[in-house]
Amino acid sequence: MTKLRLAIVGAGPAGIYAADILLKTERSFDVSIDLFEQLPAPYGLVRYGVAPDHPRIKGVINALRDVLDRGDIRIFGNVRFGEDITLEDLKKHYNAVIFATGAIRDTKLDIPGVDADGSFGAADFVSWFDGHPDVPREWPLDAESVAVLGNGNVALDVARMLAKHAQDLLPTEIPDNIHAGLEASNITDVHVFGRRGPAQVKFTPLELRELGDLRDVDVVVYDEDFDYDEASLAAVASNKQVKVIDRVLQSWRQLPSANNAGGEASRRLHLHFWAKPVEIKTDADGKVAAIVYERTRPDGSGGLEGTGELREIAIGQLYRAVGYFGSPLKDVPFDKRHGVIPNHEGQVVAKDSNERVSGVYATGWIKRGPVGLIGHTKSDAMETVQHLVNDQGSWWHPEDPSEEAIPALLGQRGVKWTDLDGWHRLDQHELALGEPHERVRIKVVPRDEMVRISRGE
């Protein structure tokens, strides 16, 4: 019987779901799967891209843990593709590879001053407050007024974390250095800017409601943003999610803080709609000093247009949450414009000729871009896996498909890789750190410490 030796690069939801779906798919051959992950711990953006005060979403980890803990998938953590192991290495030891590397960079925003000192990508800030081992341990929160650009869930996550009092994050798994950084914050006002109106936002009702639950934080909305056109009224009437969002926003219009009339909280979170950023002004030292935005309005055909009216708000920091973007992988085709691996239903194609690249597949955000939820990730994986199963005639023919080859190769190269038992050690260590403080866990942040604990050194 033929045996498929499969490598999957990326141990987040996309990679783990692909492995699980393949193992459960009806097929005429045996399967052996190795997951490669550049971080010492698995779960990708579920561990390092979801705010620590979202335990419900992090419950996805339980399902992923169940898949890995079955024991029929090997994991090699702390292994960097393109450095510790290459595409040529994979061809020597596997029949195929699925790339599930996600999208962890920020989409660029082309407005004057956007790269000034004090302007940050949301992805970097999210990585910081989630204790990602490869970002700085400290984050400057010395400004009183800050701006967040975007009207999606990531923008609201960033705004909520900036506005929330550090003490209220103590029950979560927030690392100690993150709590200390947020505790020292000087922020009093967080301004969130979206180009479109309240009926066109991309965030979910759950994310929005959470803003209203923040202790000692007033939510500020502005009456001028709620002069709905026919398209907005139709959206509220026909779409249940939009209707709920509108109901929440309308309730905030009745609060004392509405229109900046003045609430009693020590911090304020302002939601600005119909506001298109056009320039970031800087001070004499080149630091962010103000945001200039143009008021927009509906264009009558589902889009928006500028009104020509410019407004300015003084800020000391800027956070760009306008979308994530994929990163290129060594020797793998990459579409620089869209930030994805070019593919047809998960089958990777050459960028210029559009011809199939045998043995190479993609799934998740690196396949389709950073949109959609966990359900989309599963359907993505099903589509990719089905092609992989049907493409048996074009699989690679490895020189050494033995399961001993990869540990030997990594050992020879001095790679301190971590395995599933190592993740269990790190997991138990983090849980134990949190227990005396009545917290679920306290994350270990430094990479070398994560590796040392995982390897039992």
Side-chain angles (χ1 to χ4, degrees):
M1 179 183 286
T2 303
K3 182 174 184 177
L4 168 62
R5 284 279 289 136
L6 175 67
I8 298 178
V9 179
I16 295 175
Y17 284 139
D20 186 42
I21 288 168
L22 176 58
L23 288 168
K24 293 176 178 176
T25 295
E26 186 175 336
R27 48 193 158 71
S28 59
F29 49 83
D30 288 336
V31 173
S32 173
I33 301 175
D34 289 343
L35 273 173
F36 292 92
E37 170 56 51
Q38 67 168 342
L39 294 170
Y43 308 140
L45 279 181
V46 181
R47 178 174 164 96
Y48 289 114
V50 178
D53 59 348
H54 271 182
R56 293 180 303 278
I57 298 177
K58 286 183 178 291
V60 174
I61 285 181
N62 293 332
L64 301 178
R65 179 186 290 115
D66 289 344
V67 175
L68 292 183
D69 284 357
R70 284 200 315 254
D72 51 5
I73 303 167
R74 290 198 305 182
I75 182 167
F76 294 88
N78 199 43
V79 177
R80 296 181 184 273
F81 177 80
E83 298 178 25
D84 300 324
I85 197 162
T86 67
L87 187 63
E88 283 304 309
D89 294 328
L90 298 183
K91 288 181 178 179
K92 290 178 182 177
H93 302 292
Y94 297 91
N95 299 104
V97 58
I98 297 176
F99 288 100
T101 50
I104 57 173
R105 292 187 297 159
D106 286 283
T107 298
K108 291 186 177 181
L109 186 64
D110 187 19
I111 61 174
V114 76
D115 294 323
D117 185 9
S119 176
F120 305 100
D124 290 336
F125 183 60
V126 171
S127 292
W128 174 75
F129 68 58
D130 267 329
H132 194 292
D134 297 337
V135 298
R137 299 288 177 269
E138 298 179 351
W139 193 276
L141 293 169
D142 48 2
E144 292 184 0
S145 179
V146 302
V148 178
L149 306 185
N151 260 175
N153 282 345
V154 174
L156 291 197
D157 263 2
V158 169
R160 191 181 67 257
M161 289 294 291
L162 289 168
K164 196 167 188 173
H165 293 275
Q167 181 181 359
D168 297 333
L169 287 163
L170 278 177
T172 74
E173 62 183 37
I174 186 172
D176 290 339
N177 66 300
I178 312 304
H179 176 260
L182 293 172
E183 184 70 29
S185 171
N186 290 329
I187 290 174
T188 59
D189 290 85
V190 178
H191 296 269
V192 182
F193 294 90
R195 296 182 305 154
R196 299 179 183 273
Q200 289 80 38
V201 294
K202 300 297 184 183
F203 44 73
T204 57
L206 175 62
E207 293 277 351
L208 182 65
R209 283 198 193 98
E210 288 179 325
L211 299 185
D213 295 333
L214 298 180
R215 181 185 63 84
D216 192 30
V217 178
D218 281 332
V219 179
V220 183
V221 294
Y222 298 86
D223 285 340
E224 64 179 348
D225 292 336
F226 293 87
D227 185 14
Y228 286 171
D229 66 338
E230 290 185 8
S232 295
L233 290 172
V236 172
S238 63
N239 186 300
K240 184 177 180 181
Q241 178 164 299
V242 176
K243 184 181 296 185
V244 173
I245 287 172
D246 177 65
R247 188 183 304 139
V248 174
L249 292 170
Q250 296 291 353
S251 70
W252 290 344
R253 293 179 67 186
Q254 312 306 317
L255 298 176
S257 57
N259 296 287
N260 245 356
E264 298 179 355
S266 65
R267 293 180 179 178
R268 288 156 296 282
L269 202 161
H270 308 255
L271 300 180
H272 302 273
F273 301 102
W274 301 115
K276 177 185 177 182
V278 295
E279 182 185 1
I280 307 303
K281 289 188 174 181
T282 57
D283 62 16
D285 296 321
K287 295 182 178 180
V288 169
I291 180 171
V292 179
Y293 65 95
E294 180 183 12
R295 285 287 294 174
T296 60
R297 63 189 173 204
D299 64 3
S301 58
L304 60 85
E305 61 185 12
T307 65
E309 178 188 353
L310 298 180
R311 298 182 184 179
E312 182 175 320
I313 295 179
I315 58 170
Q317 284 187 337
L318 176 76
Y319 292 83
R320 309 179 305 274
V322 294
Y324 285 170
F325 203 77
S327 301
L329 299 161
K330 187 177 181 181
D331 299 325
V332 179
F334 188 71
D335 182 340
K336 294 181 179 179
R337 181 180 177 186
H338 299 101
V340 298
I341 295 175
N343 68 91
H344 171 69
E345 298 181 349
Q347 296 171 306
V348 173
V349 298
K351 184 173 179 293
D352 299 322
S353 66
N354 214 34
E355 292 183 4
R356 277 277 293 113
V357 179
S358 63
V360 184
Y361 300 83
T363 191
W365 281 4
I366 199 64
K367 168 187 174 182
R368 59 182 160 85
V371 291
L373 303 174
I374 293 296
H376 296 89
T377 302
K378 288 183 178 179
S379 58
D380 253 357
M382 288 180 186
E383 182 180 67
T384 297
V385 165
Q386 196 56 58
H387 279 297
L388 169 65
V389 170
N390 294 336
D391 289 345
Q392 187 171 343
S394 62
W395 290 351
W396 298 330
H397 301 285
E399 297 175 15
D400 181 5
S402 67
E403 299 202 357
E404 299 79 22
I406 295 302
L409 176 66
L410 295 176
Q412 182 182 353
R413 293 178 178 173
V415 179
K416 290 190 172 183
W417 53 276
T418 61
D419 57 16
L420 184 59
D421 287 339
W423 161 239
H424 288 156
R425 278 190 286 270
L426 177 60
D427 186 35
Q428 290 301 315
H429 181 84
E430 291 182 342
L431 293 172
L433 289 178
E435 190 173 355
H437 307 282
E438 297 183 344
R439 297 167 63 183
V440 174
R441 75 170 64 232
I442 296 178
K443 275 185 184 174
V444 174
V445 178
R447 180 184 281 263
D448 56 354
E449 187 178 349
M450 292 176 71
V451 172
R452 178 179 57 77
I453 294 167
S454 296
R455 292 170 61 90
E457 296 174 348

